[in-house]
Amino acid sequence: MEETPRIPAKRSFRFGNLEIAPNVFLSPMAGVGDLPFRRVLRALAGGRIGLTVSEFVSVEALRNSRTRELKGMRVGAEERPFCLQLFGGDPAKFAEGVRIASGLGFDALEINAGCPMPKMVRKGGGAQLLRDLPRLARLVAEARRACPLPLSLKVRVGWADGSALDECVRIACGEGLDLLVVHGRTREQGYAGRADWGAIARAKRLAAELRPETPVVGNGDVRTVEDAVARLEESGVDGVSSGRGAIHNPWLLAQIADVWEGKPARSPSLEEQRGLFDLYDRFLEEDGFTETGRLGRLKLVTARFLKALPGGAGARVDLLHAQTPGAYWDLLDSFFEERRKSGTAGFEPGGLEELNG
Ligand SMILES: Cc1cc2nc3c(=O)[nH]c(=O)nc-3n(C[C@H](O)[C@H](O)[C@H](O)COP(=O)(O)O)c2cc1C
């Protein structure tokens, strides 16, 4: 990092009774952001993450105690504050899920109104709620009545365009929610294209008019400390949330916390970069993953993380094709050995322009 980014004026906010400091979240990521991954990020950041959010858990799984799906609800001892994200489309069933989840020791709950997956949308939840705003309003109202904890709503800007967002703000504020999280893409965009931070800024302005006690967190394409500072300052949101940026650069949240404390953002040494893989593998093992299961997860992180490293592109292809854990670790060691010898220890994730997909 060339120079220390400036420090934004707003570095914390309140989410119900929770103090969110720093005002940066790790976004929920099904299939990636499970307990071992979140433990790695917390460890790298020395705990300094404003909030971590679970992968979505369906209210059906909660109501029917479907154990396999409920794995997504596990939370680490050090992982506070922690928000459980719930998925569902039926207001009464959702409220029942909220009542069950409220008694399980989470710090906050979140309603998922953004998941774009066809399989999930067909069930009436996630982004489907953006096409049926009266149902979203009923669901939010019932969830609010059932929830004694801080409650948040996470939305996209709309289904095919940004036309649902104003109404989502009205619903969140009208029902007295404690937080609105806006991912600045439509459902049709999926994860492609750029997030619309103009729309996020408008949502914040409307929420500030309607109910200043409902903070707004913006999400989409926050990949560097500079992105976090610029998005906070330009849009006026209370906080930002990063998903894929934190896979590309697992130190992102640590670096943001450094800067918020007035220190330069620290870049990981070559040893720390290599150590990341051992740490993740250890946490996966502690979580009961088999060796093969661990290899799959390691590859997911490798696919993104190695894009940030000099010479990473070539090694990435080989690592992703490794058939056995032994082959994977050998390739990884040779890659880092090569970098040590050639003196390319650098880690410049900020240089990446196109990280989507
Ligand atoms: C693999 C993956 C899984 C995701 N799972 C969820 C999820 O369970 N719940 C949710 O609200 N968003 C989910 N998202 C969306 C992210 O939370 C975030 O809104 C989106 O990736 C945009 O932020 P980014 O540009 O920082 O990645 C997921 C995204 C990815 C890439």
Side-chain angles (χ1 to χ4, degrees), residues 90-106:
D90 178 87
K93 290 178 182 165
F94 203 99
E96 197 188 325
V98 164
R99 266 188 292 275
I100 299 169
S102 294
L104 299 178
F106 301 104

Side-chain angles (χ1 to χ4, degrees), residues 238-293:
D238 300 278
V240 296
S241 180
S242 177
R244 289 164 301 172
I247 319 179
H248 283 288
N249 173 7
W251 282 269
L252 176 63
L253 295 155
Q255 292 175 332
I256 289 173
D258 287 342
V259 171
W260 269 219
E261 289 167 10
K263 300 187 284 209
R266 211 178 63 79
S267 269
S269 67
L270 197 63
E271 286 64 36
E272 287 171 310
Q273 293 168 37
R274 173 64 183 80
L276 168 77
F277 295 86
D278 292 325
L279 190 63
Y280 188 35
D281 191 51
R282 175 153 70 82
F283 288 161
L284 286 166
E285 190 174 11
E286 285 176 11
D287 201 44
F289 276 76
T290 61
E291 237 192 338
T292 320

Side-chain angles (χ1 to χ4, degrees), residues 34-335:
D34 58 3
L35 177 59
F37 181 78
R38 298 191 313 260
R39 280 184 77 191
V40 169
L41 264 57
R42 284 258 177 207
L44 300 183
R48 301 167 303 166
I49 299 179
L51 185 78
T52 42
V53 185
S54 73
E55 310 171 84
F56 72 79
V57 168
S58 85
V59 293
E60 289 299 323
L62 257 179
R63 292 172 63 244
N64 302 315
S65 303
R66 290 207 302 257
T67 348
R68 197 177 62 79
E69 285 174 56
L70 296 182
K71 233 187 142 194
M73 294 190 10
R74 280 155 329 130
V75 47
E78 73 286 15
E79 202 178 3
R80 297 292 174 179
F82 183 76
C83 176
L84 177 75
Q85 190 186 72
L86 292 173
F87 173 95
D90 178 87
K93 290 178 182 165
F94 203 99
E96 197 188 325
V98 164
R99 266 188 292 275
I100 299 169
S102 294
L104 299 178
F106 301 104
D107 300 304
L109 301 182
E110 180 164 271
I111 301 165
N112 177 324
C115 179
M117 282 151 59
K119 191 176 87 181
M120 303 313 289
V121 161
R122 275 198 293 278
K123 295 182 182 171
Q128 178 63 25
L129 292 165
L130 303 174
R131 286 211 284 198
D132 188 349
L133 294 168
R135 182 205 283 262
L136 175 67
R138 286 199 305 281
L139 187 144
V140 168
E142 293 212 21
R144 173 74 289 179
R145 273 198 294 278
C147 184
L149 301 174
L151 181 63
S152 127
L153 171 67
K154 181 171 177 218
V155 299
R156 287 177 176 247
V157 298
W159 183 270
D161 57 29
S163 58
L165 188 54
D166 282 6
E167 186 58 17
C168 290
V169 177
R170 283 191 202 99
I171 292 170
C173 291
E175 295 302 336
L177 291 197
D178 303 294
L179 176 66
L180 175 67
V181 181
V182 182
H183 173 196
R185 289 188 177 82
T186 63
R187 186 269 173 186
E188 292 202 340
Q189 272 180 289
Y191 296 100
R194 285 265 163 269
D196 181 352
W197 277 85
I200 295 172
R202 286 193 295 281
K204 171 59 199 172
R205 281 199 295 276
L206 181 57
E209 257 171 48
L210 296 176
R211 187 172 188 270
E213 306 89 311
T214 300
V216 174
V217 162
N219 166 238
D221 306 330
V222 173
R223 298 166 305 198
T224 63
V225 181
E226 289 81 357
D227 286 343
V229 176
R231 296 299 89 78
L232 274 168
E233 295 203 326
E234 290 158 10
S235 68
V237 289
D238 300 278
V240 296
S241 180
S242 177
R244 289 164 301 172
I247 319 179
H248 283 288
N249 173 7
W251 282 269
L252 176 63
L253 295 155
Q255 292 175 332
I256 289 173
D258 287 342
V259 171
W260 269 219
E261 289 167 10
K263 300 187 284 209
R266 211 178 63 79
S267 269
S269 67
L270 197 63
E271 286 64 36
E272 287 171 310
Q273 293 168 37
R274 173 64 183 80
L276 168 77
F277 295 86
D278 292 325
L279 190 63
Y280 188 35
D281 191 51
R282 175 153 70 82
F283 288 161
L284 286 166
E285 190 174 11
E286 285 176 11
D287 201 44
F289 276 76
T290 61
E291 237 192 338
T292 320
R294 273 154 39 213
L295 181 62
R297 285 305 174 109
L298 282 162
K299 283 185 180 181
L300 268 179
V301 170
T302 306
R304 286 187 179 275
F305 178 61
L306 259 72
K307 281 192 183 173
L309 301 182
R316 179 176 176 266
V317 175
D318 295 337
L319 281 161
L320 295 184
H321 283 102
Q323 296 292 320
T324 61
Y328 175 89
W329 291 109
D330 286 349
L331 282 162
L332 193 71
D333 282 335
S334 328
F335 169 62

